[in-house]
């Protein structure tokens, strides 16, 4: 192992320790004291319930664990894990989306980021054809921010709209109520295909006892108003009565036990392990974010048996190979690859090759993996005259219209229109993952500082107050800090611009799971609209 690789390895291990620290606060909000409070109520941490819900000896693939940090809402700086646990696990062998309130975080109330995370999980479930299980224990909307969580599309009501739509598609919506569900939150129980409520622990009502007293003068307890017995024996608003969380989990498993087994709509080959251990990735990716990478070595490190079949390997050397295309297998699943190489600038030739390959994979109904490490498309008079705008747009069109499952993995710079052509969030990939090396923003901090400084200098000169060298340097550094800070995976992950920040050691397992889940729905026929050749 060379010295440079040793330094890279140590650097990325240290960066992932920072990720672990953030994850600790996400998973243990309030520490042991909060767990003890749950125990006094007869409850357990929600991840404990999820581990019992999924099949034994299987993994729960949890999404967006660092969501909600640094949001700076009124009176609330952090919403650890957005107050919600979402992820995919197997129940009786079938992949299932699980959405669970963590009542340790502001009583499970919904902030804007909580809603975004909830509905992102529902979007994945709908796109991939997954049943949903809701573990509901929420105080409803965070009232100080009602204007930001209640009245609009993608606000509170959209959760229930999504439940209704998915149910109509045949995707089961099962709710286990383990606590209070008030006002709009009550619909998480009432709109389920089947709902389970726990005696003397779960409550569901459109207006709680204080509101009822104020509106009607009636004095009534939560249990009498909307407890488990009321809704399973009188109103019919829930379907299954139980006395403990553990019993409720078993009922949910029983409900889903007769679901037909899922199947992949693509031939899956026998799985073979990768040729090299995951530690190799820590060595090959430079600590310097904008330093070029050898993407072929990276692809060999994640592929079955290290085998990557490259497409147009020798096309336009030095320009066409800044994007590498081809096929590999991930745990037996064939995958088409579009991957940034070297310094990642997308030249005209690379854009043409990528467009052609996206269309070819779409015609063959092969899912696509975009490995993004690009600062953008080539600029300048030569590039413009040769058609970088047109061929870049063709790449964006192809990405937009590709009907096959698409997954993006960001392992470096993720700037400008390259974010679009490489299937960024706006292009609705089935899953989007970043790493601690990812930097997602309109441009790098250094580039932004140069552009904005020139604008500021002109403004100051027009006012007759030219900037001093010290002022220029202060302004430049302020812009670098702002843009690089907002590009960091912690900032992006907090705002759900990625579905998970992956450690390098997790990449292969998570990509394989994601392609498997994405292929549970049949792939339609290709159609590329206004693509201009």
């Amino acid at each position: 192992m060379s010295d440079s690789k040793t330094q890279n390895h140590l650097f990325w291990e240290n960066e992932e320790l920072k990720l672990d620290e953030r994850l600790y606060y996400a998973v243990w909000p309030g520490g042991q004291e909060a767990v003890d409070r749950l125990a006094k109520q007869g409850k357990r941490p929600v991840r404990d319930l999820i581990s019992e819900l999924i099949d034994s000896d299987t993994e729960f693939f949890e999404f967006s664990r660092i969501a909600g940090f640094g949001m700076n809402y009124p009176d609330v700086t952090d919403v650890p894990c957005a107050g919600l646990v979402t992820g995919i696990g197997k129940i009786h062998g079938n992949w299932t989306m699980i959405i669970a309130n963590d009542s340790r975080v502001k009583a499970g109330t919904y902030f804007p980021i909580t809603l975004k995370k909830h509905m992102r999980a529902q979007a994945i479930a709908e796109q991939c054809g997954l049943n949903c299980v809701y573990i509901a224990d929420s105080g409803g909307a965070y009232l100080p921010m009602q204007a930001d969580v209640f009245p609009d599309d993608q606000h509170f009501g959209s959760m229930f709209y999504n439940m209704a739509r998915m149910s109509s598609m045949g995707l089961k919506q099962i709710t286990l109520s383990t606590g209070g569900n008030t006002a709009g939150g009550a619909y998480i129980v009432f709109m389920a295909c089947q709902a389970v409520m726990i005696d003397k622990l779960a409550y569901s009502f459109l207006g709680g006892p204080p509101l009822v007293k104020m509106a009607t003068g009636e004095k009534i307890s939560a249990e009498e108003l909307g407890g488990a017995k009321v809704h399973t024996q009188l109103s019919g608003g829930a379907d299954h009565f139980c006395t403990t969380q553990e019993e409720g989990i078993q009922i949910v498993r029983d409900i889903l036990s007769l679901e037909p087994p899922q199947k992949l709509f693509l031939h899956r080959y026998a799985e073979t392990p990768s040729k090299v251990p995951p530690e190799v990735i820590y060595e090959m990716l430079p600590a310097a974010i904008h330093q070029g990478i050898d993407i072929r070595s990276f692809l060999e490190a994640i592929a079955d048996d290290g085998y990557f079949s490259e497409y147009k390997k020798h096309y336009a050397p030095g320009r066409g190979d800044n994007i590498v295309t081809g096929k590999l297998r991930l745990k037996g699943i064939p995958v088409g690859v579009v991957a940034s190489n070297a310094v990642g600038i997308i030249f005209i030739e690379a854009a043409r090759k990528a467009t052609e390959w996206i269309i070819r994979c779409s015609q063959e109904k092969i899912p696509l993996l975009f490995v993004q490490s690009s600062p953008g498309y080539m600029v300048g008079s030569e590039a413009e005259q040769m058609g970088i705008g047109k061929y870049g747009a063709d790449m964006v069109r192809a990405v937009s219209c590709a009907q096959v499952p698409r997954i993006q993995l960001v392992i470096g710079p993720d700037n400008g229109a390259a974010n679009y052509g490489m299937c960024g969030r706006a292009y609705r990939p089935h899953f989007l993952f970043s790493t601690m090396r990812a930097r997602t923003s309109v441009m790098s901090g250094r580039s932004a500082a140069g552009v904005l400084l020139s604008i500021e200098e002109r403004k100051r000169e027009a006012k007759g107050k030219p900037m001093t060298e010290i002022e220029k340097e202060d302004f430049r550094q302020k812009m670098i800090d702002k843009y690089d800070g907002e590009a960091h995976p912690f900032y992006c992950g907090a705002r759900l611009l990625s579905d998970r920040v992956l450690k390098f050691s997790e990449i292969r397992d998570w990509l394989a799971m994601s392609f498997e889940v994405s292929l549970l729905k049949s792939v339609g026929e290709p159609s590329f609209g206004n693509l201009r050749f």
Side-chain angles (χ1 to χ4, degrees), residues 42 44 49 52 198 244-251:
R44 294 161 57 199
L49 301 182
E52 291 185 6
I198 305 170
T244 65
Q245 288 185 321
E246 292 74 17
E247 186 183 352
I249 289 291
Q250 187 56 52
I251 291 173

Side-chain angles (χ1 to χ4, degrees), residues 200-471:
K200 296 182 177 59
L201 201 61
Y203 309 96
S204 188
F205 25 61
L206 300 187
L211 181 61
V212 169
K213 182 180 179 181
M214 182 182 69
T216 70
E218 181 183 10
K219 294 182 180 180
I220 191 169
S221 69
E223 180 68 27
E224 293 170 316
L225 183 62
K229 288 182 179 177
V230 170
H231 290 308
T232 58
Q233 300 174 18
L234 299 176
S235 77
D239 309 285
H240 303 274
F241 176 90
C242 61
T243 58
T244 65
Q245 288 185 321
E246 292 74 17
E247 186 183 352
I249 289 291
Q250 187 56 52
I251 291 173
V252 173
R253 284 188 55 83
D254 290 345
I255 292 170
L256 294 172
S257 64
L258 298 178
E259 287 294 291
Q262 295 164 333
K263 63 177 182 178
L264 258 63
F265 284 87
L266 184 73
H267 178 71
R268 187 173 196 167
Y269 297 84
E271 175 187 342
T272 54
S274 57
K275 265 189 174 179
V276 296
E279 287 73 22
V280 171
I281 299 175
Y282 291 81
E283 300 161 13
M284 70 173 59
L285 293 180
I289 303 301
H290 292 276
Q291 185 176 333
I293 60 175
D294 176 9
I295 198 61
R296 294 180 179 90
S297 296
F298 174 82
L299 296 174
E300 290 168 1
I302 65 171
D304 285 12
D305 201 33
Y307 181 69
F308 174 61
S309 174
E310 189 166 346
Y311 175 74
K312 287 199 170 180
K313 181 176 181 178
H314 302 291
Y315 172 62
R319 296 168 68 92
D321 61 357
N322 272 18
I323 285 184
V324 168
T325 54
K327 289 182 183 177
L328 51 74
R329 292 176 186 167
L330 278 167
K331 298 193 176 183
I333 299 174
V335 173
V337 175
V338 179
S340 306
N341 188 40
V343 293
I345 297 171
I346 304 176
F347 289 90
I348 293 159
E349 294 85 352
R352 286 174 177 165
K353 180 172 73 172
T355 301
E356 184 176 298
W357 185 239
I358 292 165
I359 293 172
R360 190 175 294 276
C361 288
S362 297
Q363 290 169 336
E364 296 180 15
K365 299 186 177 181
I366 299 294
L368 284 161
L369 169 64
F370 294 84
V371 184
Q372 164 65 335
S373 181
S374 173
Y377 288 88
M378 188 59 187
V379 298
S381 59
E382 180 185 2
E384 292 292 350
Q385 291 169 16
M386 290 181 66
I388 189 62
K390 167 184 162 47
Y391 294 111
D394 278 348
M395 188 173 165
V396 171
R397 288 187 181 97
V399 167
S400 302
C401 297
Q403 88 289 8
V404 296
R406 294 159 297 129
I407 293 171
Q408 189 196 52
L409 172 68
V410 186
I411 61 168
D414 179 24
N415 304 135
N419 172 277
Y420 305 159
M422 293 295 285
C423 202
R425 182 60 104 195
Y427 294 83
R428 301 178 187 179
H430 285 57
F431 296 92
L432 193 160
F433 303 118
S434 65
T435 63
M436 288 300 288
R437 196 173 185 270
R439 295 295 185 273
T440 299
S441 64
V442 67
M443 62 182 73
S444 70
R446 189 176 66 174
S447 298
V451 172
L452 294 171
L453 178 58
S454 66
I455 295 171
E456 185 66 17
E457 284 183 291
R458 287 198 300 270
K459 287 166 57 179
R460 292 281 296 273
E461 286 172 1
K463 294 177 179 178
K465 297 180 180 179
M467 300 177 76
T468 67
E469 290 304 315
I470 292 176
E471 286 175 327

